[in-house]
Amino acid sequence: MKFFVDTADVKEIRELNDLGLLDGVTTNPSLILKSGGKIEDVTREICEMVDGPVSAEVTATEYSEMMREARALAKIADNVCIKVPLTLDGLKACRAIRSEGRLVNVTLCFSANQALLAAKAGASFISPFIGRLDDMNIDGMELISEIRTIYDNYDFNTEILAASIRTANHVKQAAMLGADVATVPPATLKALVKHPLTDKGLEAFLADWAKTGQKIG
Ligand code: E4P
């Protein structure tokens, strides 16, 4: 499973990238707002730092304006992945942007039929929003499972990018169901390493090691 980080906070991205944990980054207009920076500047800085795809989202809702924005975002760096919303204009833009040789992430997916359409439009990634479905008492993981079945039935190459991840358990469940990628907020990504028995075991080993009076090397 690939790990993307879901943030536009350059400092957080640098820390996780230095740990060797990142395969890519996803941003959205709300995350750009939170970063306080200009979309072009923030995206450029992230793209220079991270080798993998960096999703930057168009904000137009009409096809030709989407294409104008997509081309402007694509100029920022080779690893910009254009994010388009799951609408009819978004799907049309998806096909056109793919034919220009760019990666496309189709976002705001809440149903298996939407995911089917995105795959048929040639999307590189489909982003089902797990947490937002869970918020409405709908099982977000069931959607991952449905999309996995449909994509496998027809050998679609579109990668399932589990998004709107809120907990470490979401990451585990998405991995068990065969999502190709999870885009995870920085705090949740770091929380994956945590286990109380790891902390307790390490404490005991270090206490015993101190008693040996030895030093390695
Ligand atoms: C995905 O690419 C989105 O940026 C993101 O996962 C949305 O998550 P949220 O529901 O926590 O805002």
Side-chain angles (χ1 to χ4, degrees):
M1 179 185 242
K2 287 181 249 182
F3 280 166
F4 291 177
V5 66
D6 196 28
T7 184
D9 183 325
V10 172
K11 216 175 123 226
E12 298 260 37
I13 296 170
R14 181 165 293 113
E15 186 191 344
L16 290 162
N17 197 44
D18 286 350
L19 288 170
L21 283 178
L22 292 191
D23 299 297
V25 178
T26 52
T27 67
N28 63 38
S30 307
L31 294 170
I32 293 291
L33 172 70
K34 213 166 150 193
S35 78
K38 273 196 72 182
I39 185 165
E40 289 88 352
D41 299 339
V42 175
T43 307
R44 186 172 301 107
E45 201 174 344
I46 300 171
C47 286
E48 279 166 9
M49 201 188 324
V50 177
D51 287 334
V54 175
S55 289
E57 189 162 341
V58 299
T59 55
T61 53
E62 183 273 326
Y63 169 73
S64 31
E65 186 55 15
M66 271 183 193
M67 290 305 294
R68 192 194 62 74
E69 290 185 356
R71 290 180 184 126
L73 291 171
K75 274 195 199 131
I76 296 173
D78 287 345
N79 55 335
V80 170
C81 170
I82 309 297
K83 212 175 185 189
V84 298
L86 220 159
T87 59
L88 290 176
D89 284 60
L91 292 171
K92 186 176 171 187
C94 173
R95 181 167 297 286
I97 299 162
R98 289 293 290 136
S99 73
E100 292 180 8
R102 302 301 301 219
L103 295 176
V104 178
N105 175 357
V106 179
T107 190
L108 290 166
C109 172
F110 294 95
S111 80
N113 280 332
Q114 288 181 320
L116 178 56
L117 286 172
K120 287 184 70 67
S124 319
F125 300 100
I126 181 69
S127 289
F129 275 39
I130 307 304
R132 293 192 195 186
L133 281 170
D134 284 0
D135 289 345
M136 294 183 69
N137 243 353
I138 298 169
D139 185 1
M141 286 303 154
E142 203 174 314
L143 176 57
I144 298 282
S145 165
E146 289 172 352
I147 300 172
R148 182 73 284 154
T149 302
I150 291 169
Y151 282 10
D152 289 350
N153 281 349
Y154 297 99
D155 282 334
F156 284 122
N157 292 327
T158 303
E159 293 188 53
I160 302 173
L161 197 176
S164 188
I165 293 276
R166 305 271 166 81
T167 64
N169 209 29
H170 274 160
V171 178
K172 182 184 84 175
Q173 287 177 292
M176 288 180 69
L177 291 169
D180 302 285
V181 192
T183 188
V184 188
T188 310
L189 201 46
K190 285 186 224 161
L192 298 184
V193 79
K194 281 284 168 203
H195 197 288
L197 290 179
T198 303
D199 297 340
K200 199 174 160 204
L202 183 60
E203 207 179 299
F205 285 153
L206 292 181
D208 286 344
W209 181 247
K211 286 180 209 156
T212 69
Q214 297 180 42
K215 187 170 176 280
I216 299 174

